[in-house]
């Protein structure tokens, strides 16, 4: 056991590191750097970038789902409706068609849905200054309504169906958001880190909450944070810049408790 520990220490001394951990740290630093750059941009620039990234991710997911579906990308074999079909039956047929498209159709539908959700969430977060249930529901409503319009699913009245679908998305997302918030409530012993936790969540750096706790960087220390203090708790350069810039811009965090 002692020899194994000495070998690990020797390997570290020779500069041999875990390539996967090193690559992960670089990716996180890059992501934090991009977030830091976006935080300094106007709202429309950040919203455009976030929407584009979300659309690309959604298109990749939708295309993959359409490719993996049976019958050459048709999830459900939908026969064409006979002439003179009742409008309600025709609406059901259109809904089935929207859910049974091939890779390109699914890529388009998911790109619109995820891109709209990401963009609206970004704008709401900028306007309200926090990521809350209202912003989450607004983003879900917009993405659901646009998905309904683009996919062609629904009733003879596409506007009414878009509103109905948006409301359904918003209610589901609101309930999911509240449940996740309830189960992620901090324990009573973590009350000294509530502001720090909220700050890290806004910045997308919640993975570094444990670093704050290990270094005893409580809410009272936030106005005193420096680059060296964050470096001492092993937070990479990108996240350090993002945290310090956020504290500098937030008047609530610059006030001593």
């Amino acid at each position: 056991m002692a020899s194994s520990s000495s070998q690990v220490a020797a390997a570290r001394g020779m500069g041999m590191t875990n390539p996967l951990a090193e690559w992960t740290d670089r990716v996180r630093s890059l992501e934090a750097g991009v977030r830091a750059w976006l935080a300094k941009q106007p709202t429309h620039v950040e919203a455009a970038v976030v929407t584009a990234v979300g659309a690309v991710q959604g298109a990749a997911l939708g295309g993959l789902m359409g490719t993996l579906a049976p019958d050459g990308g048709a999830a459900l074999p939908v026969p064409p409706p006979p002439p003179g079909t009742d409008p309600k039956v025709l609406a059901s047929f259109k809904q089935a068609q929207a859910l049974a498209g091939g890779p390109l159709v699914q890529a388009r539908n998911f790109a619109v849905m995820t891109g709209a959700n990401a963009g609206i969430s970004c704008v709401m977060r900028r306007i309200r200054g926090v990521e809350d249930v209202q912003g989450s529901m607004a983003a879900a409503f917009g993405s659901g309504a646009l998905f309904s319009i683009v996919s062609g699913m629904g009733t003879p009245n596409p506007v009414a169906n878009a509103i109905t679908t948006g409301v359904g998305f918003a209610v589901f997302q609101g309930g999911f958001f509240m449940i996740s918030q309830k189960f992620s409530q901090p324990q009573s012993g973590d009350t000294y880190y509530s502001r720090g936790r909220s700050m890290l969540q806004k910045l997308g750096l919640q993975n570094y909450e444990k670093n704050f706790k290990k270094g005893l960087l409580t809410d009272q220390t936030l106005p005193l944070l420096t680059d060296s203090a964050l470096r001492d708790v092993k937070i990479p350069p990108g996240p350090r810049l993002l945290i310090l810039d956020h504290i500098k811009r937030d008047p609530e965090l610059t006030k001593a408790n």
Side-chain angles (χ1 to χ4, degrees), residues 178-218:
M178 295 179 67
I179 292 175
S180 63
Q181 287 288 340
K182 181 177 180 181
F183 283 98
S184 63
Q185 287 294 329
Q187 299 177 356
S188 58
D190 293 340
T191 55
Y192 295 110
Y193 300 93
S194 59
R195 283 191 176 183
R197 180 184 302 106
S198 176
M199 175 188 68
L200 293 175
Q201 288 177 348
K202 289 180 183 179
L203 299 174
L205 302 175
Q206 54 270 22
N207 292 336
Y208 295 107
E209 181 181 342
K210 60 182 181 299
N211 301 67
F212 271 61
K213 292 181 179 179
K214 289 181 180 179
L216 299 180
L217 299 180
T218 63

Side-chain angles (χ1 to χ4, degrees), residues 14-207:
M14 296 175 62
M16 298 175 60
T17 59
N18 186 342
L20 179 59
E22 185 177 357
W23 181 82
T24 302
D25 289 340
R26 289 183 179 180
V27 171
R28 288 179 177 175
S29 298
L30 179 61
E31 290 179 350
V34 172
R35 290 195 183 99
W37 177 79
L38 287 175
K40 299 177 181 179
Q41 304 306 311
T43 302
H44 66 277
V45 174
E46 182 182 8
V49 174
V50 171
T51 299
V53 173
V56 171
Q57 293 176 341
L61 176 61
L64 178 62
M65 293 178 61
T67 303
L68 297 179
D71 296 329
L76 296 172
V78 183
T85 303
D86 182 85
K88 293 183 178 180
V89 177
L90 183 61
S92 299
F93 167 75
K94 290 183 177 180
Q95 182 172 359
Q97 271 190 325
L99 300 175
L104 293 180
V105 173
Q106 294 295 350
R108 179 201 63 189
N109 294 347
F110 275 78
V112 170
M113 182 171 59
T114 57
N117 190 288
I120 297 174
S121 294
C122 172
V123 173
M124 293 298 296
R125 185 168 59 250
R126 279 289 189 101
I127 294 175
R128 300 179 63 83
V130 66
E131 188 171 352
D132 55 10
V133 64
Q134 289 85 355
S136 179
M137 291 181 68
F141 176 86
S143 63
L146 287 176
F147 172 78
S148 173
I149 294 172
V150 172
S151 64
M153 59 184 293
T155 64
N157 189 340
V159 176
N161 186 72
I163 295 175
T164 303
T165 304
V167 170
F169 272 56
V171 171
F172 175 81
Q173 180 64 24
F176 181 79
F177 186 93
M178 295 179 67
I179 292 175
S180 63
Q181 287 288 340
K182 181 177 180 181
F183 283 98
S184 63
Q185 287 294 329
Q187 299 177 356
S188 58
D190 293 340
T191 55
Y192 295 110
Y193 300 93
S194 59
R195 283 191 176 183
R197 180 184 302 106
S198 176
M199 175 188 68
L200 293 175
Q201 288 177 348
K202 289 180 183 179
L203 299 174
L205 302 175
Q206 54 270 22
N207 292 336

Side-chain angles (χ1 to χ4, degrees), residues 1-8:
M1 193 73 177
S3 61
S4 176
S5 300
S6 61
Q7 289 176 355
V8 172

